[in-house]
Amino acid sequence: MDDHTIEEILSSFAIKGHPTKATPYGSGHINDTFRILTEEADGTQHQYTLQRINHAVFRKPQQVMDNIERTLAHLSTKAKAFPGVRSLGLVRTKERRNCVRTFDGKWWRMYDFIDGVISYDNVRDPDVVYEAARGFAQFQNMMADLPLPRLHETIPYFHHTPMRYATLEEAAYLDIRGRAQEVAAEIDFVRSRRHLVAHLLNRYLRGQIPERITHNDTKINNALFDPESKRCVAVVDLDTVMPGLALYDFGDLCRTTCNTADESEPDTDSVHFDIRMFEAAVSGYLDTAHFLVPAEVQELVFSAWLLPFMVGVRFLTDYLQGDTYFKTHYPKQNVDRCRTQFRLVKCIEDLREEMHAVVQRCAKASGRS
Ligand code: ADP
Ligand code: GN1
Ligand code: MG
């Protein structure tokens, strides 16, 4: 996108000062994010985050924005009870709307840029992992009493694991890009575990695990930290905040914090599941998520297995379908991503007993039996 277009988009928003710089920002796989600098006549500078909402992924961007507005309004009522937590500030358009749809059919929104914080794609510090788990648990806690109506499901069936499995089978069957043979081992890996995909969903359907309002995309780079205290001060990427299972949030956090390698690491031998990070995640989560019922605590280890498995299935499906969903930066990145996830799954299968022992220890320490 050229600067002229960015300037046009920016002119729709009620920002302070004149834009002086727009830089692509972050490493998210879905939206296009820009950091915007502006300057007022007296030299005062401001920073904003401009985002193009990926409307191929979020088919109803207006519903995404409605959810975000309600989420942010609700979080603002909690500010006093949760000092130190910074919330995203939505920048309205000059017509007081929460986003703009440009003539070319693209959807744009703006936030105040949260400054002086740090984000991680990969983290090796257990204190940061502990704080991240606390941050996401606190987010779930703050959202628990959101008044009705139910939030929109911005991506229907987002964490519906049997549906994800069925979509993979369909993609492998249709094989529109002729790639199925090349990833036959990965498809077999999934098939040999298909009896596990509906486990949490079944417990939910039986009423054993409750629906909550969850973030649904708790990868570590969606949390922002104070570099000195290491505390998680903000949770961003609210596009998928909707009804879900708390365990999906916990599992996704482990997926990105316990992996010793990058998500796209081509050398799977360097992928290990770091049980020290797992302990930090469990501990931070259980110390904060006092609302969890025993069945949820019981399934923490399973959720840490399920999320890399499911995200691996999604990367594999996207590769078979021609890399249309996740942003990729080189031709077989989705294959590398999928293999990384499946290696993590394998590591977790080997560490199951130790992981259960960690949960038991942390549950005791957090005052649960
Ligand atoms: P995507 O859906 O593509 O992942 P995100 O909303 O997560 O997009 O934004 C990408 C990255 O930009 C985030 O991971 C976060 O590190 C950073 N980011 C997003 N919003 C802000 C903000 N308001 N202030 C500072 N950094 C932000
Ligand atoms: C995407 O948007 P981002 O990069 O924070 C994806 C998640 C995946 C993740 C894998 C809306 O997250 O579901 O787990 O990539 N977000 C969406 O890294 O699909
Ligand atoms: Mg993100």
Side-chain angles (χ1 to χ4, degrees):
M1 187 181 48
D2 60 38
D3 288 347
H4 175 69
T5 325
I6 279 218
E7 237 178 285
E8 268 178 11
I9 294 154
L10 289 172
S11 70
S12 304
F13 287 93
I15 50 175
K16 293 180 190 153
H18 291 285
T20 52
K21 204 172 171 190
T23 335
Y25 194 78
S27 46
H29 296 344
I30 304 295
N31 296 314
D32 295 335
T33 305
F34 299 87
R35 177 177 168 181
I36 307 294
L37 294 184
T38 70
E39 194 169 317
E40 294 192 69
D42 65 2
T44 313
Q45 295 191 325
H46 303 277
Q47 295 187 74
Y48 298 96
T49 299
L50 174 71
Q51 279 187 323
R52 185 182 75 77
I53 305 170
N54 183 333
H55 65 270
V57 166
F58 297 101
R59 298 297 174 102
K60 295 183 178 164
Q62 196 56 68
Q63 291 195 349
V64 171
M65 293 314 297
D66 288 349
N67 277 5
I68 290 180
E69 271 216 75
R70 287 183 56 205
T71 298
L72 293 178
H74 185 68
L75 293 178
S76 72
T77 67
K78 307 273 169 178
K80 271 202 191 129
F82 294 89
V85 176
R86 289 168 72 177
S87 189
L88 280 171
L90 201 57
V91 178
R92 291 187 174 276
T93 69
K94 288 173 180 162
E95 293 168 337
R96 305 286 306 146
R97 292 180 198 277
N98 52 25
C99 63
V100 286
R101 181 169 186 258
T102 46
F103 65 89
D104 52 359
K106 293 180 176 167
W107 294 74
W108 296 86
R109 56 140 181 257
M110 276 190 97
Y111 294 114
D112 291 316
F113 185 82
I114 301 176
D115 203 10
V117 291
I118 180 163
S119 82
Y120 303 89
D121 286 323
N122 198 327
V123 53
R124 301 269 50 85
D125 180 345
D127 293 346
V128 172
V129 176
Y130 179 86
E131 291 298 335
R134 280 182 61 88
F136 283 116
Q138 206 165 58
F139 180 84
Q140 292 176 343
N141 196 7
M142 290 163 96
M143 292 300 289
D145 58 348
L146 179 82
L148 289 170
R150 199 167 181 262
L151 290 172
H152 300 292
E153 291 194 28
T154 54
I155 302 180
Y157 303 107
F158 189 57
H159 277 131
H160 193 290
T161 44
M163 195 280 289
R164 293 287 184 193
Y165 173 69
T167 309
L168 172 70
E169 284 291 5
E170 185 189 31
Y173 176 75
L174 295 175
D175 196 18
I176 57 167
R177 303 297 292 262
R179 295 172 169 181
Q181 191 52 44
E182 177 198 345
V183 288
E186 284 70 27
I187 297 171
D188 281 349
F189 183 93
V190 177
R191 284 184 179 145
S192 65
R193 289 160 176 80
R194 68 173 173 266
H195 57 289
L196 294 169
V197 297
H199 176 64
L200 286 186
L201 192 69
N202 286 340
R203 293 204 73 177
Y204 160 71
L205 293 173
R206 284 189 216 114
Q208 296 165 350
I209 293 179
E211 177 181 287
R212 302 183 185 280
I213 296 172
T214 47
H215 183 280
N216 293 305
D217 193 357
T218 53
K219 63 200 261 191
I220 186 76
N221 68 12
N222 289 328
L224 305 178
F225 298 85
D226 179 317
E228 269 162 37
S229 68
K230 297 185 185 174
R231 297 206 83 142
C232 170
V233 290
V235 165
V236 299
D237 204 346
L238 306 180
D239 299 331
T240 48
V241 175
M242 58 182 162
L245 303 190
L247 288 164
Y248 296 146
D249 282 0
F250 176 76
D252 208 20
L253 181 68
C254 295
R255 181 183 77 77
T256 53
T257 53
C258 302
N259 183 356
T260 54
D262 285 342
E263 196 180 58
S264 300
E265 173 60 58
D267 171 19
T268 49
D269 285 345
S270 65
V271 177
H272 303 284
F273 185 87
D274 188 335
I275 197 142
R276 284 178 324 133
M277 300 304 150
F278 180 68
E279 178 141 17
V282 176
S283 168
Y285 196 58
L286 291 185
D287 282 355
T288 318
H290 300 296
F291 48 81
L292 295 177
V293 299
E296 290 174 301
V297 179
Q298 202 179 59
E299 298 294 355
L300 290 174
V301 173
F302 183 78
S303 74
W305 176 90
L306 184 68
L307 268 288
F309 182 69
M310 270 305 132
V311 175
V313 166
R314 291 172 61 198
F315 288 141
L316 184 58
T317 305
D318 196 29
Y319 183 65
L320 290 167
Q321 293 178 336
D323 304 310
T324 56
Y325 186 95
F326 296 103
K327 278 186 193 168
T328 52
H329 306 286
Y330 59 91
K332 293 192 183 182
Q333 189 168 9
N334 273 324
V335 180
D336 285 342
R337 286 170 172 159
C338 160
R339 289 184 177 147
T340 303
Q341 297 306 303
F342 290 170
R343 174 57 79 99
L344 212 51
V345 166
K346 196 76 199 57
C347 295
I348 294 168
E349 289 170 353
D350 295 340
L351 282 167
R352 248 181 106 244
E353 298 307 317
E354 286 97 315
M355 289 168 71
H356 277 294
V358 164
V359 171
Q360 268 190 1
R361 223 170 27 244
C362 294
K364 234 184 203 156
S366 72
R368 291 162 216 259
S369 56

